[in-house]
Amino acid sequence: MTELRVIEPPVPETAVATLYCFPHAGGSAGEYARWAAHTPGLRLVAVQPPGRAHNLGAKAFTAMPELVREILTRVRFTPPFALFGHSLGALVAFEVARALRQRPLRLFVSSCEPPPLPGRAQPLHLLDDSALHAEIERRWGPLPATARSDKDLLSAALACYRADLQVLETYEHVPGPRLGCPITAIAGAEESRGGALMTGWREHTDGAFESCERPGGHFHTREDLDGLGRLLGDTVRADLIRAERDMSR
């Protein structure tokens, strides 16, 4: 059974907007749930596709269109809101923003080059389990020790990665109208090409564009959570003030 989950940590009393978050390949919503203590001005909603965490054995999505359709069906986007996606999640958030009738306050894209994506000589999702495991750890670091020491758990985790990588590697960008909302592109300072990789996102919005680098590598989202929380919260609050000012004119 393919089942998408929506995880919502307790809502802080100071929340003025909702931030919908989409995970990286192989990632789970629990990572974003931990941000709640660092983003007091935001209500966090973490969108978890099937095939990971407590739903590890479920069938995962393998194509972007069906994943986006399921998100639009299962997730209620309550304004005012913004979208955040890391790595593969950035592409998912972008396609959700394009498909929504309601315009988000802002789209945050993290550590993902903008579409259209270059082709890959050897797609990772076609590798056998052993080669896929080695390539995942070479690129993004070791899998959790619990997965590495349990054959069945490792097999399920690799199946999740394989499905997500298939979403990424078969993704085809369909040109269309640019977004009307601002985009903030974020990269880790230690990533290959860093912020330079993200500048092309400017071409996907008619609104404002900002880019920044944060301490760390590809998973900079796991470092300096207070700093990341301030960046997200301050930006969304400023967008909300501007939106309210525009409406009062």
Side-chain angles (χ1 to χ4, degrees):
M1 180 179 179
T2 299
E3 183 178 352
L4 181 143
R5 297 180 63 201
V6 179
I7 297 176
E8 300 184 45
V11 182
E13 294 181 0
T14 55
V16 296
T18 301
L19 182 67
Y20 294 88
C21 301
F22 302 88
H24 58 86
S28 71
E31 186 158 342
Y32 296 121
R34 292 192 290 271
W35 288 7
H38 306 275
T39 54
L42 299 174
R43 166 184 172 242
L44 288 182
V45 175
V47 179
Q48 180 165 289
R52 64 208 71 219
H54 299 299
N55 198 20
L56 192 58
K59 180 182 178 183
F61 290 100
T62 57
M64 182 70 79
E66 64 180 12
L67 173 55
V68 171
R69 282 195 297 270
E70 181 70 4
I71 291 170
L72 296 178
T73 299
R74 296 292 303 275
V75 181
R76 180 180 179 183
F77 291 90
T78 305
F81 68 91
L83 306 176
F84 177 95
H86 179 67
S87 200
L88 169 62
L91 284 179
V92 176
F94 170 64
E95 289 297 335
V96 168
R98 297 178 82 194
L100 283 171
R101 293 182 180 180
Q102 302 159 302
R103 189 170 80 180
L105 290 168
R106 183 171 293 261
L107 170 64
F108 294 94
V109 290
S110 170
S111 297
C112 177
E113 59 189 312
L117 303 182
R120 297 176 183 268
Q122 184 179 24
L124 299 183
H125 76 273
L126 297 179
L127 298 176
D128 62 35
D129 276 4
S130 178
L132 178 60
H133 184 190
E135 193 64 19
I136 287 171
E137 297 203 333
R138 184 184 73 82
R139 294 182 181 219
W140 301 302
L143 295 177
T146 51
R148 301 173 89 234
S149 62
D150 185 312
K151 182 178 179 181
D152 292 336
L153 189 57
L154 177 60
S155 178
L158 291 175
C160 172
Y161 270 99
R162 187 183 304 281
D164 283 355
L165 289 169
Q166 187 172 350
V167 171
L168 175 65
E169 294 171 339
T170 62
Y171 169 73
E172 295 184 5
H173 174 63
V174 178
R178 300 204 292 184
L179 294 177
C181 68
I183 292 178
T184 294
I186 309 170
E190 298 171 16
E191 287 191 269
S192 175
R193 296 174 59 195
L197 184 71
M198 308 294 290
T199 57
W201 281 103
R202 184 189 303 273
E203 304 304 317
H204 291 287
T205 180
D206 285 328
F209 175 80
E210 299 173 358
S211 63
C212 64
E213 290 187 348
R214 301 191 65 253
H218 184 70
F219 287 108
H220 64 86
T221 51
R222 297 171 179 170
E223 302 184 34
D224 184 24
L225 293 186
D226 286 336
L228 178 59
R230 285 193 299 272
L231 169 64
L232 299 174
D234 291 350
T235 302
V236 171
R237 279 190 291 269
D239 288 335
L240 185 57
I241 291 171
R242 279 192 291 270
E244 291 174 343
R245 185 174 60 232
D246 291 344
M247 289 180 62
S248 66
R249 289 177 179 174

